[in-house]
Amino acid sequence: MKVSDILRVKGNTLYTAQPDEPLASALNLMAEKDIGSLVVMDHGDLVGMLTFREVIQTVVRNGGAVGTTVVRTAMDDHPLTCTMETELDEVRRMMLDRHARYMPVMDKKMLMGVISFYDVAKAVVDSQNFENKMLKAYIRDWPASAEDESDTTKL
């Protein structure tokens, strides 16, 4: 399974912030849309990722307040990214290694979407459920061999 499979099911609604935007505005958008991350874009380029982790760290650094902080100050300016062709096993490894919960999906310099650790886990569970259902159907429809059939006629 590839990242493109996840995005096809998930859809491609994206929420972004700009680096010089007040952090409070970005937080309002995150709360309003009930999302855990924003991709930070500057003149069409990905420049960072803002997640609740960066927000909490910034608020703690500011003594419990957002204040006049801008997104650039809080964001991760080296976010982990993947492509549409990245295999799901590789995405899981990358996210686990970096403790990343969100990952922008890029096609060269174009942002294609964002996948979350939840999206990855859901895709794995859905795939396993489908495989399990197919195996159960196969076992239920197991063809009887000629030897099995001859044994039942003796009874």
Side-chain angles (χ1 to χ4, degrees):
M1 186 178 295
K2 295 182 180 187
V3 169
S4 58
D5 298 319
I6 294 176
L7 285 182
R8 186 175 54 252
V9 171
K10 180 181 179 176
N12 55 2
T13 302
L14 288 171
Y15 296 101
T16 63
Q18 294 180 351
D20 295 322
E21 174 181 337
L23 183 58
S25 296
L27 292 177
N28 284 334
L29 178 61
M30 290 170 76
E32 177 187 318
K33 300 298 181 186
D34 191 25
I35 55 175
S37 70
L38 291 172
V39 181
V40 184
M41 302 291 288
D42 191 22
H43 300 10
D45 292 328
L46 171 72
V47 294
M49 194 74 181
L50 181 68
T51 71
F52 54 84
R53 174 182 289 149
E54 289 82 27
V55 170
I56 290 168
Q57 290 170 345
T58 300
V59 168
V60 168
R61 270 195 315 268
N62 289 345
V66 173
T68 59
T69 305
V70 294
V71 169
R72 181 185 312 278
T73 305
M75 71 182 191
D76 173 0
D77 59 358
H78 290 89
L80 191 59
T81 64
C82 63
T83 70
M84 298 286 277
E85 297 303 310
T86 306
E87 293 287 337
L88 205 54
D89 286 341
E90 177 66 7
V91 169
R92 290 189 330 203
R93 186 196 60 72
M94 292 165 66
M95 291 179 107
L96 287 169
D97 286 351
R98 283 270 304 265
H99 296 260
R101 291 182 179 92
Y102 301 93
M103 186 183 299
V105 180
M106 305 297 291
D107 181 7
K108 295 184 178 63
K109 293 191 117 204
M110 182 180 289
L111 178 65
M112 303 304 290
V114 174
I115 58 172
S116 68
F117 201 75
Y118 170 84
D119 298 328
V120 173
K122 182 178 181 320
V124 169
V125 168
D126 290 348
S127 175
Q128 289 173 342
N129 286 342
F130 177 74
E131 186 176 309
N132 190 18
K133 190 182 296 182
M134 297 305 289
L135 286 170
K136 284 179 180 178
Y138 179 76
I139 291 169
R140 202 175 11 252
D141 296 337
W142 192 283
S145 67
E147 189 176 290
D148 292 339
E149 290 174 10
S150 65
D151 287 343
T152 58
T153 57
K154 292 179 186 175
L155 298 174

